[in-house]
Amino acid sequence: MLRVKQTASRAVFNLDGVWNFAVDKENDGIEKGRYRDEFTDGRPMPVPASYNDITNDVDLRDHVGLLWYQRRVTVPRIVADNRLILHFGSATHAAKVWVNGQQVAEHEGGYLPFEADITDAVDPGAEFLLSVAVDNRLSWDTIPPGWIETDSAGKPHQRYFHDFYNYSGLHRSVSLYTRPLIAVTDVTVVTDFDGADGIVRYEAAAPGAEHISVRVLDAAGKEVAAGEGAAGELRIPNVTPWQPGRGYLYTLEVSADQDIYPQKFGVRTVQVKDSQFLINGKPFYFRGYGRHEDNITIGKGHNNALMVRDFEIMEWQGANSFRTSHYPYAEEVMDYADERGVVVIDETPAVGLNTGVSGGILGSGKTFKTFSPETINDTTRAGNVREVEKLIERDKNHPCVVLWSVMNEPDSGADEARAYFEPVARAARESDPQHRPVGFVNIMLATPDKEKTIDLFDVVMLNRYYGWYVDTGNLDDAEAHLRQEIAEWIKVAPGKPIIFTEYGPDTLPGYRDFYHRPWSEEFQADMLAMFHRVFDDIPEVVGEQMWNFADFQTAPGIMRVGGNKKGMFTRDRQPKQNAFAVRQRWLAMKEESGF
Ligand code: BDP
């Protein structure tokens, strides 16, 4: 699905604001036709934002089920003969949408966009009632999975295996946009180099169009190549590549009859070879973090000020990359990473596919079998495949994306893992026209002797907590075990680069300790320094993305004090002591490599 853009042929009307909102206490609002009329029991709710932390109503915060959003929208007369599309950046985790009581959209999956052509349901110049039912329930069939438990008072509780709070609502912008009847519906760009020139292979879809032409514009808007037809190959003489740290972008302007759609792209290549990760043919070392879309008050809501602030902090620290743990991020984030030359490992929402973990905490006892008809099953897998395909459809043209992470910490040691993983890996390979490398993030429980699927993937991505969940506080043992395990990975996955996608301890900001014990700011610095020392000795390790960029909200638990505290920064983005040490390291590495 193309990103919503205002162009010479398209107008965008942003519908963000304070909407009317109601909790569906009995979860029967759809049957009762709540979408037909304006709610009388509503309260104000900002869009975009998670609704959970906006009010002081705990029943609302932890409601399991349906939430209703509503607003009136006037259709400008200038819409005239155009098609009118209603677009949602996301709705977590599922949604149904009605216009004047008529259902126009239904969507599953909480982190990807969806839209509906509502031209025939509305009248230019008139107002319509827009009603949205958002469903925050997770089941064994959803991605991510979860289940619901009812307590002794009969109150339902959403449970899940992943370690972040189940924020929900309308997290990203809602917009209306116009496009001509014949319109560009998809653009694909694949790039390569031929000496100093850039090669651009493109494909544009515009069903019914009589004439399609394209122009490539450089960052200053100057035409540098042009072509005719729905597909073709163009040459940019003396191309400026997209590089880590230098996000040079071109625009492929597609004209299809009356429609014009500008698709940004960068010219760069990605390849895995001899245990190295190559961007534009040069070895790239990932420095950065796993992140979360998580902020005080707005939860997982997208906000441009907070996004730019986070990028400023990452740059201050000398980071050059991050992973969109554990779901696709807002498209604004991906565009901005393109612009700033920040490298992204793009992850699907397939997290928590592992019953050996509870709330991110290891060893809390297995109560379910991960893969079975009653737990993670064929429907879950089909959902996982769909999320991979849809993510790649959305993000395929982003130069910042260099690697797909199709799952985080699934039960890759289970006997049934291969049957689940094969179609998921295949979906990524078949969907990506740029043929980026594909990986999944391996959990500490699936050490090389237990892991059953690594041959299906191009890279080894490891989340390791030596010194924290195991060898707690004993960094000598932790270091020995870490070195031992990496040596085994090199044996079982020869030629595959190893990226550490998580490592680090919970750290209570302000807890300082002469003895450098776990939870102290000193221990975080020590533990990271130990991991870094090990990485520096091993050429097959090509990346360090610590866990996590910032502290974040989780479900309550005895190991979580107001959330997960593994942040390099606090939840309000203040540095912990360790941030300065890592900054020194990363800036020195940046100085040496140039990015
Ligand atoms: C890993 C998960 C991550 C958790 C982290 C932790 O990938 O989501 O937050 O551990 O325990 O298992 O902090």
Side-chain angles (χ1 to χ4, degrees):
M1 184 176 303
L2 292 177
R3 176 111 163 80
V4 175
K5 268 183 208 159
Q6 177 127 335
T7 78
S9 58
R10 298 172 176 223
V12 181
F13 311 100
N14 184 283
L15 302 185
D16 296 349
V18 181
W19 291 35
N20 196 9
F21 175 89
V23 188
D24 196 333
K25 291 205 178 84
E26 307 300 327
N27 291 323
D28 58 359
I30 295 181
E31 296 84 76
K32 289 201 168 135
R34 242 179 184 281
Y35 47 85
R36 276 189 218 114
D37 305 300
E38 204 142 3
F39 325 135
T40 46
D41 57 345
R43 65 209 302 174
M45 190 55 71
V47 173
S50 299
Y51 62 81
N52 309 74
D53 293 350
I54 300 292
T55 77
N56 286 332
D57 179 346
V58 68
D59 290 336
L60 162 60
R61 184 173 199 273
D62 292 330
H63 174 70
V64 178
L66 297 175
L67 296 308
W68 290 86
Y69 286 81
Q70 215 175 43
R71 64 162 287 168
R72 296 198 159 270
V73 182
T74 305
V75 182
R77 277 201 207 97
I78 56 161
V79 163
D81 299 333
N82 288 286
R83 304 304 292 178
L84 190 62
I85 318 294
L86 176 62
H87 180 99
F88 291 81
S90 69
T92 314
H93 298 279
K96 279 191 181 167
V97 182
W98 295 262
V99 161
N100 285 338
Q102 177 189 339
Q103 188 178 321
V104 295
E106 179 166 9
H107 181 77
E108 267 180 54
Y111 303 94
L112 288 172
F114 59 98
E115 57 185 31
D117 185 329
I118 61 164
T119 321
D120 301 331
V122 299
D123 294 316
E127 203 180 54
F128 69 85
L129 179 66
L130 173 60
S131 306
V132 185
V134 173
D135 194 336
N136 68 11
R137 283 171 288 195
L138 298 172
S139 73
W140 289 111
D141 294 347
T142 59
I143 295 288
W147 74 101
I148 294 165
E149 259 171 21
T150 307
D151 69 15
S152 51
K155 195 176 159 202
H157 295 269
Q158 179 69 61
R159 307 286 187 218
Y160 38 87
F161 291 106
H162 55 270
D163 184 33
F164 52 94
Y165 182 72
N166 190 37
Y167 278 118
S168 34
L170 296 178
H171 287 152
R172 299 174 190 164
S173 280
V174 182
S175 45
L176 261 186
Y177 69 94
T178 66
R179 66 181 182 209
L181 182 58
I182 306 266
V184 181
T185 53
D186 192 26
V187 182
T188 303
V189 182
V190 180
T191 63
D192 205 348
F193 296 100
D194 182 18
D197 296 352
I199 304 297
V200 180
R201 288 182 202 98
Y202 75 91
E203 229 182 290
E210 278 176 12
H211 181 239
I212 297 179
S213 64
V214 296
R215 303 199 297 151
V216 175
L217 309 175
D218 68 11
K222 193 174 138 253
E223 184 178 311
V224 291
E228 294 283 323
E233 191 175 297
L234 307 168
R235 176 174 289 265
I236 305 175
N238 245 324
V239 73
T240 306
W242 185 97
Q243 294 177 60
R246 258 185 291 154
Y248 192 92
L249 296 178
Y250 289 93
T251 301
L252 182 81
E253 190 190 77
V254 181
S255 301
D257 295 0
Q258 298 306 311
D259 196 22
I260 294 193
Y261 190 84
Q263 175 64 54
K264 290 212 171 161
F265 69 95
V267 180
R268 62 109 186 80
T269 59
V270 176
Q271 202 191 349
V272 159
K273 208 177 152 206
D274 303 334
S275 301
Q276 297 299 302
F277 198 96
L278 308 178
I279 299 183
N280 299 337
K282 290 190 213 114
F284 178 71
Y285 189 89
F286 297 77
R287 300 186 305 269
Y289 335 76
R291 295 174 62 209
H292 264 299
E293 290 188 313
D294 177 274
N295 274 288
I296 295 163
T297 307
I298 61 173
K300 293 203 171 309
H302 173 74
N303 174 282
N304 283 326
L306 297 175
M307 170 186 77
V308 175
R309 179 74 188 125
D310 280 359
F311 276 75
E312 289 292 325
I313 295 172
M314 291 191 275
E315 186 175 311
W316 168 87
Q317 201 166 34
N320 61 12
S321 66
F322 63 86
R323 174 170 59 119
T324 70
S325 39
H326 293 308
Y327 36 82
Y329 287 6
E331 286 183 89
E332 287 85 342
V333 176
M334 307 308 285
D335 285 352
Y336 198 57
D338 283 346
E339 299 266 347
R340 289 190 73 140
V342 174
V343 170
V344 176
I345 301 177
D346 207 359
E347 190 159 278
T348 73
V351 56
L353 308 171
N354 198 327
T355 54
V357 182
S358 176
I361 301 157
L362 305 177
S364 63
K366 225 175 195 164
T367 43
F368 304 96
K369 191 168 156 44
T370 300
F371 302 103
S372 80
E374 291 74 41
T375 53
I376 309 284
N377 58 58
D378 291 351
T379 311
T380 332
R381 186 182 56 196
N384 203 151
V385 166
R386 181 198 65 216
E387 290 296 330
V388 168
E389 291 168 349
K390 293 284 171 201
L391 171 66
I392 296 178
E393 190 186 315
R394 190 194 75 163
D395 287 352
K396 63 185 173 184
N397 292 319
H398 284 288
C400 67
V401 176
V402 299
L403 170 59
W404 304 110
S405 168
V406 294
M407 291 170 274
N408 179 71
E409 297 195 341
D411 196 348
S412 54
D415 290 337
E416 305 82 2
R418 276 195 89 80
Y420 185 97
F421 289 25
E422 260 171 353
V424 175
R426 198 178 329 119
R429 294 193 194 286
E430 286 173 2
S431 307
D432 185 11
Q434 293 192 3
H435 304 299
R436 292 170 182 87
V438 177
F440 79 99
V441 171
N442 164 289
I443 189 169
M444 193 151 184
L445 299 169
T447 40
D449 51 315
K450 301 193 188 83
E451 163 64 48
K452 296 198 169 64
T453 64
I454 199 65
D455 58 298
L456 300 172
F457 298 93
D458 304 308
V459 295
V460 179
M461 290 193 272
L462 302 176
N463 292 351
R464 289 300 179 270
Y465 288 95
Y466 292 111
W468 185 248
Y469 293 121
V470 295
D471 303 325
T472 312
N474 183 338
L475 292 182
D476 291 334
D477 280 358
E479 179 168 345
H481 291 142
L482 177 63
R483 285 185 189 275
Q484 212 176 330
E485 194 190 334
I486 298 175
E488 283 161 30
W489 279 111
I490 295 172
K491 270 189 240 143
V492 301
K496 293 189 186 179
I498 301 172
I499 303 168
F500 276 79
T501 36
E502 287 186 25
Y503 57 99
D506 281 273
T507 305
L508 203 58
Y511 170 36
R512 310 301 295 265
D513 185 23
F514 278 119
Y515 310 109
H516 293 214
R517 283 168 296 189
W519 285 96
S520 69
E521 296 204 26
E522 286 76 11
F523 184 73
Q524 186 181 37
D526 289 356
M527 183 168 151
L528 261 64
M530 181 279 279
F531 271 78
H532 294 159
R533 186 162 63 237
V534 173
F535 300 162
D536 288 346
D537 286 346
I538 303 172
E540 287 83 355
V541 174
V542 303
E544 53 191 60
Q545 293 191 332
M546 61 81 69
W547 191 249
N548 183 287
F549 172 68
D551 293 345
F552 58 92
Q553 194 53 268
T554 64
I558 52 163
M559 306 264 282
R560 296 286 177 264
V561 191
N564 187 309
K565 293 281 188 274
K566 296 193 184 69
M568 177 83 82
F569 302 91
T570 58
R571 200 173 185 219
D572 61 353
R573 278 41 174 184
Q574 295 303 320
K576 297 181 190 172
Q577 185 207 316
N578 164 64
F580 297 96
V582 174
R583 178 172 191 248
Q584 252 191 350
R585 169 180 170 82
W586 286 357
L587 286 179
M589 292 167 97
K590 183 175 178 177
E591 175 90 21
E592 208 186 306
S593 64
F595 44 79

